[in-house]
Amino acid sequence: MASAAEQLAANLNFAAFAKADELKKRLWFTLAALVVYRLGTYIPLPGINPAELAKLFHQQQTGILGVFDMFAGGAVSRMAIFALGIMPYISSSIIIQLMTSVSKKLEELKKEGEQGRKVINQYTRYGTVILAAIQGYAIAVGLEGAQHVVTDPGMFFRIETTITLVGGTVFLMWLGEQITSRGVGNGISLIIFAGIVATLPQALLGTLELGRQGALSSGAILMVGVMVIVVIMAIVFVERAQRRLIVQYPKRQVGNKMYGGDSSHLPLKLNTSGVIPPIFASSLLLLPITVANFSAGQGPEWLGVVTALLGHGQPLYMGLYAAGIIFFTFFYTAIVFNPKETADNLKKYGGFIPGIRPGQRTAEYIDYVLTRLTAVGAVYLTLICLLPEFLVTQYKVPFYFGGTSLLIVVSVTMDTVAQIQSHLLAHQYEGLIKKSKLRGTRR
């Protein structure tokens, strides 16, 4: 009985999808944009010796540079025009959001609605260009410090590399915005998602090759497979988990009729911040040492020490990563959800939480519940992102199977599927409205 109902629902969804021309256009646009992004990760920077670069990256890929390469979709190992990826944009977003909570001017812009949001986005773009220029120049200097990687070092190479990398980041920023407005899903998240998914087959083959050579036991490979399944199940369960606060609306009489008296609920997600905290924490860890591994021992001594301490599995890396995840979980949740504003809206429309006085007491109660949920969500994100790191460090498995990558892949997939379903529902409603209008015209 249940299978027949599921089959009927699937047939209805397929029929609705077949007629949803607007959704098809959006999906094709998203796919084409991601293909363009993937092609850009294979266009190398001019003046680079590919063989020497491959040797250098092979020596350093087990460190944090490998994480950067994962987020960039392999563009770092090939030193492509998209080597910086979208990370400068994410770092700029972090800085602007931190400044929004400090600067009164930015806070006022945030309250101005759409117009203020456009100005803040413009500031974020300016910050992206500045950060990309700094990182691009640092990468150029770091590449020159490595022997035989740059064919013709000098100021011209540095300027050329900086301009190319900045242009690649700005193009990806624009491409992500176009996907968000004209495609399906969040463009920035989908670009990161595409980079991670593109490197998964290589990581899987590398793991199986280690098993074939005897460097990795069959039990370890089986453990990694079980870990991946358990992590995915945990992510799906928690990302769908909600705490629903009952909201009651009082009855009111208008003329001879009674209105209201209904009850609803206010859904509070267990993980309100989504995948943002791990991405923000990773980007901040990557920012100060983008070029550290490229110097190949020829840079300052302290730079080598920092690089070693921030390697995978190191206590400093684990501690900073966990602290960054917890901080950004609370910080981003405070940005996207305002308990006082929610309480004021409930009071405005006559809603109240049973047993809680409307207004300030309701805001305090919502904040209390949200803080506890956020604490659980922060622990969940920390465990998801750090537990696989211990296994990866112990068994030397490629870290593409880590919790951060799985969290991003699963969460972005769920969000994209939810947006596709909303587009399908909107299309079905439009069809019903058109039919009702035609029937009314005939009558």
Side-chain angles (χ1 to χ4, degrees):
M1 190 71 179
S3 61
E6 291 175 358
Q7 184 66 31
L8 179 60
N11 292 335
L12 290 174
N13 288 332
F14 181 77
F17 177 77
K19 297 178 181 179
D21 295 331
E22 178 66 22
L23 177 59
K24 289 180 184 177
K25 292 178 181 178
R26 286 179 171 271
L27 288 174
W28 279 115
F29 180 85
T30 303
L31 181 61
L34 294 179
V35 168
V36 170
Y37 160 65
R38 289 305 303 159
L39 290 175
T41 60
Y42 287 91
I43 302 176
L45 291 172
I48 301 293
N49 187 333
E52 294 296 330
L53 177 66
K55 292 180 183 178
L56 175 64
F57 188 82
H58 182 71
Q59 297 171 359
Q60 307 291 346
Q61 64 180 348
T62 56
I64 201 166
L65 188 63
V67 184
F68 199 6
D69 188 52
M70 177 188 71
F71 284 125
V76 176
S77 59
R78 294 183 286 270
M79 198 44 60
I81 60 175
F82 291 160
L84 287 180
I86 205 67
M87 285 303 170
Y89 177 79
I90 296 174
S91 301
S92 178
S93 300
I94 297 172
I95 296 172
I96 294 297
Q97 289 182 1
L98 286 171
M99 291 179 64
T100 303
S101 59
V102 176
S103 173
K104 291 184 178 179
K105 181 180 178 181
L106 290 176
E107 189 176 356
E108 291 174 358
L109 283 174
K110 184 180 177 181
K111 294 179 180 178
E112 289 181 3
E114 184 66 21
Q115 188 63 31
R117 188 181 64 84
K118 288 181 179 179
V119 176
I120 293 177
N121 286 342
Q122 196 64 26
Y123 289 159
T124 304
R125 296 186 185 104
Y126 293 148
T128 301
V129 173
I130 294 172
L131 290 177
I134 295 173
Q135 290 181 269
Y137 185 80
I139 284 179
V141 174
L143 288 172
E144 286 185 346
Q147 295 181 354
H148 309 302
V149 174
V150 180
T151 56
D152 188 15
M155 184 54 66
F156 179 77
F157 170 77
R158 297 182 184 182
I159 296 175
E160 178 187 48
T161 301
T162 303
I163 293 175
T164 304
L165 290 176
V166 171
T169 298
V170 171
F171 177 78
L172 285 182
M173 178 178 63
W174 173 83
L175 191 66
E177 292 176 352
Q178 293 301 309
I179 293 174
T180 303
S181 60
R182 302 174 59 185
V184 177
N186 182 281
I188 303 300
S189 299
L190 282 174
I191 288 176
I192 300 175
F193 167 84
I196 295 175
V197 170
T199 54
L200 285 178
Q202 181 182 358
L204 180 60
L205 291 176
T207 304
L208 295 177
E209 181 64 21
L210 290 175
R212 188 184 67 84
Q213 295 174 357
L216 198 63
S217 64
S218 301
I221 295 177
L222 182 62
M223 181 183 297
V224 171
V226 173
M227 180 202 73
V228 170
I229 296 174
V230 171
V231 169
I232 291 175
M233 291 174 62
I235 292 172
V236 173
F237 176 78
V238 175
E239 292 300 322
R240 291 180 176 273
Q242 292 180 347
R243 167 71 188 278
R244 297 184 175 185
L245 300 180
I246 298 176
V247 177
Q248 189 74 33
Y249 291 93
K251 295 182 180 180
R252 67 182 188 276
Q253 185 172 355
V254 179
N256 295 326
K257 294 184 178 180
M258 294 290 295
Y259 295 92
D262 298 330
S263 62
S264 181
H265 63 268
L266 177 66
L268 299 177
K269 289 188 64 177
L270 186 60
N271 179 29
T272 307
S273 55
V275 300
I276 298 298
I279 294 177
F280 278 12
S282 299
S283 64
L284 282 186
L285 285 175
L286 293 171
L287 182 60
I289 56 169
T290 302
V291 298
N293 290 337
F294 282 114
S295 60
Q298 297 188 9
E301 184 178 352
W302 63 268
L303 198 59
V305 175
V306 171
T307 305
L309 291 176
L310 289 178
H312 263 276
Q314 297 299 320
L316 181 61
Y317 171 79
M318 296 288 193
L320 290 177
Y321 194 30
I325 290 173
I326 294 172
F327 170 76
F328 283 114
T329 300
F330 281 92
F331 175 74
Y332 194 77
T333 301
I335 289 177
V336 299
F337 192 92
N338 189 339
K340 189 176 186 308
E341 184 179 344
T342 304
D344 291 340
N345 289 333
L346 288 176
K347 185 177 180 181
K348 179 180 177 181
Y349 293 102
F352 63 94
I353 298 176
I356 307 296
R357 183 176 298 175
Q360 183 62 29
R361 295 296 299 273
T362 299
E364 293 174 356
Y365 177 74
I366 294 175
D367 182 65
Y368 170 72
V369 174
L370 186 64
T371 301
R372 293 195 301 172
L373 291 176
T374 306
V376 176
V379 172
Y380 146 75
L381 287 176
T382 304
L383 290 178
I384 287 294
C385 294
L386 288 188
L387 281 179
E389 298 286 346
F390 289 109
L391 293 178
V392 166
T393 305
Q394 182 70 26
Y395 295 101
K396 308 298 181 185
V397 180
F399 45 77
Y400 302 97
F401 296 110
T404 307
S405 56
L406 287 176
L407 177 66
I408 293 172
V409 169
V410 176
S411 299
V412 173
T413 302
M414 291 172 62
D415 291 340
T416 306
V417 170
Q419 287 203 22
I420 291 174
Q421 291 177 345
S422 66
H423 280 289
L424 287 175
L425 287 174
H427 176 74
Q428 290 176 350
Y429 286 140
E430 288 175 1
L432 291 173
I433 291 172
K434 288 180 181 179
K435 288 181 180 179
S436 63
K437 287 183 177 179
L438 286 175
R439 290 175 182 173
T441 303
R442 290 173 183 173
R443 289 178 182 176

